[in-house]
């Protein structure tokens, strides 16, 4: 179980649902939010705000000083032992027949990640916190080969530009975790996304020092119910609600609530099995 958690991208979807599970289990969760008012009418979050367990900080993960402030606030009483990074694509998107979906800014995820990693406290002789980052199926060439045939055009054409940002995110985590990256097969992310000489950026964790990272490659996400909770309510705890495995899992979809369930369950019960790896998840 993680006790002190820092969340980036937690205003909605997977980051939100995972955070709520940890809060309900007694953890302290610090959110960096561009608009803390997002939670004004959220009774589930507000009860934890009143208890002091949910901390809402105004800031933008694209601004390095805001991220540094988040670390400072989150570590006032104890070190952060888990980071949940579920920053996704924001802003306007346009569809172009020859290029698929185009974003106005194509490096949001990577910029935020670098800010988070480079401002992360790195005390001597202390391990860095567990770090969970949300990625997607089909993000690399080798990963794309495992997606269902009917979805290949989605990854290779429709959301190809979104995947470049996630590819850069994965590459940076691989570097900091000391995992082997197959450049020959999967290539390298564009310097337009990572920036020049990103490996030399001040504060970036040294290769191999981010030992407890986990990348989650999820199938196409939807807003369906949490199947894991439904099965539990029906007394069918022995039935697996979704499939998880090292590397990639070929599948069409997964609900955001089930990915959040996996995040909580993996940290609380199965970190030795899934920690320090890239895992796939799908129905």
């Amino acid at each position: 179980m993680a006790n002190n958690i820092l969340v980036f991208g937690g205003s909605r979807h997977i980051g939100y649902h995972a955070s709520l599970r940890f809060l309900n289990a007694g953890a302290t969760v610090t959110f960096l939010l561009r608009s803390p008012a997002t939670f004004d009418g959220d009774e589930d979050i507000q009860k934890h705000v009143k208890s002091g367990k949910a901390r809402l900080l105004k800031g933008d993960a694209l601004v390095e000083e805001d991220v540094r402030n988040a670390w400072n606030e989150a570590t006032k009483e104890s070190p952060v032992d888990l980071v949940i990074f579920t920053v996704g694509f924001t802003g306007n998107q346009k569809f172009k027949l020859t290029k698929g979906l185009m974003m106005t800014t194509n490096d949001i995820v990577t910029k935020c990640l670098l800010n988070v990693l480079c401002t992360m406290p790195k005390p001597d002789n202390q391990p860095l916190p567990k770090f969970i980052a949300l990625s997607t199926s089909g993000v690399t060439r080798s990963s794309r080969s495992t997606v269902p045939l009917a979805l290949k055009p989605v990854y290779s054409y429709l959301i190809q530009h979104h995947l470049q940002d996630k590819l850069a995110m994965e590459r940076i985590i691989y570097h900091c975790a000391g995992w082997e990256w197959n450049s020959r097969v999967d290539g390298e992310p564009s310097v337009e996304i990572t920036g020049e000489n990103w490996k030399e950026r001040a504060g970036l964790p040294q290769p191999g020092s981010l030992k407890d990272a986990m990348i989650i490659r999820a199938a196409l996400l939807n807003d369906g119910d949490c199947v894991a909770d439904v099965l539990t309510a029906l007394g069918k705890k022995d039935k697996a609600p979704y499939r998880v495995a090292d590397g990639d899992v070929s599948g069409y979809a997964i609900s955001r609530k089930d990915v959040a369930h996996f995040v909580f369950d993996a940290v609380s019960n199965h970190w030795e099995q899934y920690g320090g790896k890239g895992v796939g998840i799908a129905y």
Side-chain angles (χ1 to χ4, degrees):
M1 173 67 184
N3 296 308
N4 190 17
I5 303 167
L6 181 55
V7 180
F8 300 93
S11 63
R12 56 181 184 163
H13 297 329
I14 294 168
Y16 168 83
H17 293 298
S19 298
L20 195 55
R21 287 182 180 274
F22 283 106
L23 284 167
N24 290 338
T28 297
V29 179
T30 302
F31 297 85
L32 181 66
L33 303 163
R34 282 177 294 177
S35 176
T38 298
F39 291 152
D40 282 356
D42 190 321
E43 295 181 1
D44 292 327
I45 292 292
Q46 286 302 320
K47 69 180 181 181
H48 295 295
V49 172
K50 292 175 182 177
S51 72
K53 289 293 189 177
R55 302 170 179 174
L56 313 183
L57 300 180
K58 182 176 177 57
D60 191 332
L62 286 168
V63 179
E64 185 173 337
E65 194 56 36
D66 287 354
V67 179
R68 182 174 287 106
N69 180 57
W71 278 110
N72 291 338
E73 290 296 321
T75 57
K76 276 186 174 180
E77 297 174 3
S78 63
V80 167
D81 51 14
L82 172 65
V83 176
I84 299 176
F85 184 88
T86 56
V87 174
F89 310 112
T90 59
N92 296 325
Q93 300 184 57
K94 295 182 179 180
F95 175 76
K96 291 188 177 182
L97 187 60
T98 58
K99 297 183 178 180
L101 288 174
M102 300 287 293
M103 298 175 292
T104 53
T105 306
N106 64 353
D107 59 355
I108 290 174
V109 175
T110 303
K111 278 186 175 179
C112 293
L113 176 73
L114 286 169
N115 284 340
V116 172
L117 292 176
C118 292
T119 59
M120 176 189 289
K122 302 170 183 68
D124 293 338
N125 302 318
Q126 294 293 324
L128 297 181
K130 295 180 176 67
F131 196 102
I132 296 178
L134 177 67
S135 188
T136 180
S137 300
V139 67
T140 63
R141 293 170 191 161
S142 52
S143 174
R144 208 165 303 150
S145 68
T146 68
V147 302
L149 181 62
L151 292 182
K152 288 187 184 295
V154 174
Y155 293 100
S156 62
Y157 162 64
L158 186 63
I159 61 171
Q160 57 179 308
H161 297 284
H162 299 70
L163 295 183
Q164 287 301 308
D165 200 5
K166 290 288 191 179
L167 177 73
M169 179 200 76
E170 285 205 13
R171 180 68 182 95
I172 292 166
I173 293 174
Y174 265 70
H175 171 78
C176 296
W179 301 345
E180 183 179 354
W181 180 265
N182 193 335
S183 297
R184 184 181 61 81
V185 175
D186 294 324
E188 292 287 340
S190 168
V191 295
E192 294 179 357
I193 297 178
T194 61
E196 296 281 357
N197 302 317
W198 61 266
K199 293 180 182 179
E200 281 74 53
R201 179 163 164 173
L204 190 70
Q206 292 296 309
S209 63
L210 194 67
K211 298 181 184 297
D212 269 338
M214 181 171 73
I215 294 173
I216 301 175
R217 287 182 177 171
L220 291 180
L221 298 167
N222 62 50
D223 292 323
D225 292 335
C226 179
V227 175
D229 286 345
V230 172
L231 291 175
T232 298
L234 294 173
K236 298 180 179 180
K237 292 183 179 181
D238 295 336
K239 185 175 180 180
Y242 42 71
R243 294 176 295 129
V244 182
D246 294 358
D248 295 282
V249 172
S250 181
Y252 284 90
I254 184 77
S255 79
R256 293 177 173 90
K257 290 180 180 179
D258 270 318
V259 178
H261 175 276
F262 168 70
V263 169
F264 178 78
D265 188 51
V267 172
S268 302
N269 304 308
H270 301 291
W271 192 254
E272 289 187 1
Q273 181 178 357
Y274 296 118
K277 298 176 181 177
V279 299
I281 182 170
Y283 289 137

